Amino acid sequence: FRVVFLVGGGGVLSLLPCPSPAMHFQEWLRSLRPGADGVKVPELEDLRSLLPSVPALSSLSLATSSVLGLGALASLMAYWLVTRPRPIAPPCDLQAQSIPVQGDPSCRRSALLKDETLLEFYHEDTRTIYDMFQRGRRIAGDGPCLGFRKPREPYQWISYTEVEEQAQVLGSGLRAKGCQPNSQQFVGIFAQNRPEWVIAELACYTFSMAVVPLYETLGEEAMVHILNLAELALVLCDKEEKAVSLLAHKEKGVAPHLSCLVLFNPFSTALVDKGKSCDVEILHLDQIMVCYIHGKKHEIWSGKPKGAMITHGNIASNTSSVIKILEVGPSCSISSPPSVSMFCHGARVGFYQGDISLLMDDIKTLQPTLFPVVPRLLNRIYDKILGSVTSPLRRAVLRYAVRRKQAELNSGVVRNDSLWDRLVFNKIQASMGGKLRFILTASAPISPTVLSFLRATLGCLIFEGYGQTECTAGCTFSMPGDWSAGHVGAPLPCNVVKLSDIPEMSYYSRNGEGEICIRGHSVFRGYLRDQERTAEALDGDGWLHTGDVGQWLPNGTLRIIDRKKHIFKLSQGEYIAPEKIENVYMRSVPVLQVFVHGDSLQSHLIGIVVPDPEVFTDWTKDRGIVGSCEELCQNPDVKKAVLEDMTLVGKQAGLKSFEQVKDIHLHPEPFSISNGLLTPTLKSRRADLRRFFQPQITLMYSKAAA
């Protein structure tokens, strides 16, 4: 065969039959040299440089087998040149991802902006969440929109057209029940993540109403506070149990505005009778969907005891900023906290079955391309992968494969079709559905080790962001092409971020450190009917003070280094930021969750630790201790081993001696929303944790004093 490379013409490789391989190969080699006229062909010179440097190669008389071998080698080289992975082109200079505003290095904006004008809308036709859904409907047509499934069955889909029609009919029903089409009309939604949630949300936006989400874990006092603060007359619920809990408040006379409950699930006649007894109408969702009207919307409200007023403009600018960075719309997502804004590009969203233990099965069945996820779940995936590799040989192969993939990441290449993906990581990727393109993580810090490992093993783009409810979710976002870890990215194009001095903690903006403050289109209007708390969060210049402490890195990205809120002093006067310490300890292999406690009357810290059930028993078995999770939590030797591992992790992370816990209590049951120890955004309810574990806290301090 004769090998002809048309590199300059698009990398075409052609194999043609040839009766005299040796002779023609000699001619081909001579063609690699400059022509008679002295003109060099760059492509051929590059190709020639790839061949072994052999003196006077063209004058050698080669055997046919040698010629064929060199030809095969050249063919492989050409194939690699044509098919080799290309690095992702970053949208800006990765060494300057943010730019000082008006020359102030402590205040920075996105490098994606042409000037200091912040991004408000990416698409001119998407200025509200309703507009976003309509744009998605035009793109997707009658394609799938909302998905749900029953156990061991495939996903069933509701189309965009059906969702729009159902939302308009439901909104009309709300109007018939006295809800007014304006942004001061609040409608409560007390339900788990499911298609009806999104349909109800869209129904409210279609008729200019505002949404107030309610959660099971709010507690009686917080629930009553929201019902009265928003003057909720109508609430949509999913289950009868939730309706009963709302009726109990009405019966006690503490929720006088409540007059109508609409349920998604079937309910008993006893509930109807109970409603009549306290003058509350009970309806099924089908009963209230009565007609078809079109409208607009202006403002929503996030239903928490501190009611953050989030406008459609806030959400539109925040969503637009992420779209500008990614420049692509995902086609399928597993359900995250519900919001219509995710449908801007015609995406379809599948909801999990409601049981967190079945989430991985739902992901595998749905095969999402986008996966919004909290760091805690990524930590569990990381631990599960490492825990499944038991033999020294497999562990060595995994480590080597991860290093090779990480080397590609360092050069900007992200893919899932390499040799290592096929040999080592294919089962891991298949467990996530096999089609993941994007993972978005936020809400809490994630270990750089975990982030780098999962970027290599999952073979998809993993972006980390930072923000809070008051800035409509995110204010910073990592940049495509920057696969380094240890930071939360650069400011979004919709806002600017500055660092303010915190003298009591020795953080100063002149050193590139301080409290993170945000200003821009994504910042909320304030807290509903609460001027005092609004003034605490928003200063006179419109800066939102987050309470988090950040540090600008040389490449213009932001690193979270501390926490201003929840700070307390120990008896010797040292300031403690417990959340920073907790995030460090969660890197310990046997630790799933940890609550660090201390107060001004004590000189040291103690901790409540929840072991990771998926790795805990194997971890203790390696140390010669066996038993159930409950038994191991009572074992003093296990407690000592866990504390030693946490202390080692703390030292490696640079914790000072007074920041290390001196004693721990092992608790077998995870902190969760259902037991009231986590917020709906999966943050620790510190006051409730302190009350719940007060006996153990008292015991640990009494032992130290003895």
Side-chain angles (χ1 to χ4, degrees), residues 668-684:
E669 181 185 357
F671 311 152
S672 66
I673 298 173
S674 59
N675 61 26
L677 300 180
L678 291 182
T679 69
T681 55
L682 302 180
K683 292 182 173 61
S684 297

Side-chain angles (χ1 to χ4, degrees), residues 446 448 451 464 484-488 553 558-560:
I446 183 170
L451 191 59
E464 186 174 8
S484 59
H487 63 80
V488 292
L553 299 183
L558 185 69
R559 173 184 291 163
I560 310 300

Side-chain angles (χ1 to χ4, degrees), residues 80-91:
W80 178 81
L81 284 171
V82 173
T83 62
R84 71 187 187 278
R86 300 293 196 275
I88 291 176

Side-chain angles (χ1 to χ4, degrees), residues 556-570:
T557 59
L558 185 69
R559 173 184 291 163
I560 310 300
I561 58 174
D562 213 332
R563 177 75 172 159
K564 183 180 178 183
K565 294 182 180 179
H566 301 308
I567 289 175
F568 55 82
K569 275 186 181 181
L570 295 177

Side-chain angles (χ1 to χ4, degrees), residues 217-470:
T217 56
L218 285 170
E220 181 175 344
E221 182 181 358
M223 180 68 77
V224 170
H225 171 73
I226 294 174
L227 291 172
N228 292 325
L229 186 67
E231 299 179 355
L232 290 177
L234 188 146
V235 177
L236 297 106
C237 306
D238 54 356
K239 301 176 183 178
E240 182 170 339
E241 294 81 1
K242 294 178 182 177
V244 170
S245 68
L246 292 175
L247 289 178
H249 300 316
K250 178 72 173 184
E251 288 177 325
K252 294 176 184 177
V254 294
H257 302 286
L258 189 63
S259 61
C260 183
L261 297 178
V262 180
L263 275 77
F264 300 157
N265 293 352
F267 50 85
S268 65
T269 54
L271 180 67
V272 178
D273 295 337
K274 189 177 181 67
K276 288 180 179 178
S277 67
C278 55
D279 200 26
V280 175
E281 186 177 13
I282 308 296
L283 298 171
H284 189 267
L285 188 65
D286 294 337
Q287 294 174 276
I288 199 172
M289 299 172 73
V290 293
C291 68
Y292 181 102
I293 301 177
H294 177 77
K296 288 190 176 180
K297 55 279 133 227
H298 300 288
E299 181 176 303
I300 65 170
W301 176 66
S302 91
K304 300 178 73 173
K306 235 175 12 177
M309 294 185 290
I310 310 297
T311 69
H312 283 257
N314 291 150
I315 296 177
S317 64
N318 204 269
T319 304
S320 295
S321 295
V322 176
I323 292 172
K324 183 174 180 62
I325 292 174
L326 298 181
E327 294 289 354
V328 66
S331 59
C332 182
S333 172
I334 189 75
S335 63
S336 56
S339 176
V340 178
S341 62
M342 67 183 74
F343 301 107
C344 185
H345 281 83
R348 54 192 175 98
V349 176
F351 291 84
Y352 81 120
Q353 297 175 64
D355 185 344
I356 194 66
S357 65
L358 300 176
L359 177 61
M360 295 309 295
D361 180 59
D362 290 331
I363 292 172
K364 189 174 182 179
T365 303
L366 181 64
Q367 297 182 318
T369 56
L370 169 66
F371 185 25
V373 61
V374 294
R376 186 175 64 160
L377 182 55
L378 292 180
N379 289 334
R380 293 189 66 181
I381 294 172
Y382 171 79
D383 292 338
K384 192 168 184 177
I385 293 172
L386 293 184
S388 66
V389 182
T390 54
S391 72
L393 177 61
R394 292 180 63 191
R395 196 175 295 120
V397 171
L398 176 65
R399 283 198 295 264
Y400 183 78
V402 168
R403 284 199 301 271
R404 297 312 307 155
K405 286 294 295 293
Q406 287 176 339
E408 287 192 343
L409 282 171
N410 293 335
S411 63
V413 175
V414 180
R415 57 172 176 157
N416 58 6
D417 59 355
S418 70
L419 176 66
W420 301 110
D421 290 303
R422 295 188 179 98
L423 295 180
V424 181
F425 304 132
N426 61 328
K427 289 185 178 179
I428 298 171
Q429 294 166 7
S431 69
M432 303 294 292
K435 295 184 179 179
L436 267 181
R437 295 166 56 203
F438 305 101
I439 290 180
L440 310 181
T441 181
S443 84
I446 183 170
S447 163
T449 301
V450 174
L451 191 59
S452 298
F453 179 89
L454 292 179
R455 278 174 171 160
T457 56
L458 296 180
C460 66
L461 307 179
I462 302 182
F463 295 96
E464 186 174 8
Y466 160 76
Q468 54 186 209
T469 301
E470 288 82 352

